[in-house]
Amino acid sequence: MTTRDQAIANAARALIRAVTAQAAMDPRTAAEGAWYPGHPLTVEEIEARITARRQRAARLRTTSAASQKAAA
């Protein structure tokens, strides 16, 4: 039988694999994979959100790296 801790670890590994796979896709492909019939957003809207999220993450990485460099 799977323990609670094992179940949490298994779920974490599955989430990491899914996020890694999605991050490796171009925004359009990721949006097409996320869309399903009845989804409240269009593929284009999902693509725009993915692009915006990736741009924000890139800016945060740049800001964080600059802050670390300044603190050193």
Side-chain angles (χ1 to χ4, degrees):
M1 178 167 28
T2 302
T3 68
R4 180 177 186 276
D5 288 343
Q6 289 169 327
I8 291 170
N10 290 342
R13 282 191 291 276
L15 179 60
I16 289 167
R17 281 192 302 273
V19 169
T20 301
Q22 192 269 350
M25 296 176 194
D26 65 271
R28 181 64 182 205
T29 303
E32 289 170 349
W35 184 87
Y36 55 87
H39 195 288
L41 301 175
T42 65
V43 172
E44 291 75 18
E45 291 168 328
I46 297 169
E47 180 181 12
R49 288 182 179 205
I50 291 168
T51 300
R53 185 182 71 232
R54 290 179 181 182
Q55 289 171 344
R56 280 192 307 273
R59 282 195 304 273
L60 288 174
R61 283 191 302 274
T62 301
T63 302
S64 177
S67 295
Q68 290 175 355
K69 193 179 271 189

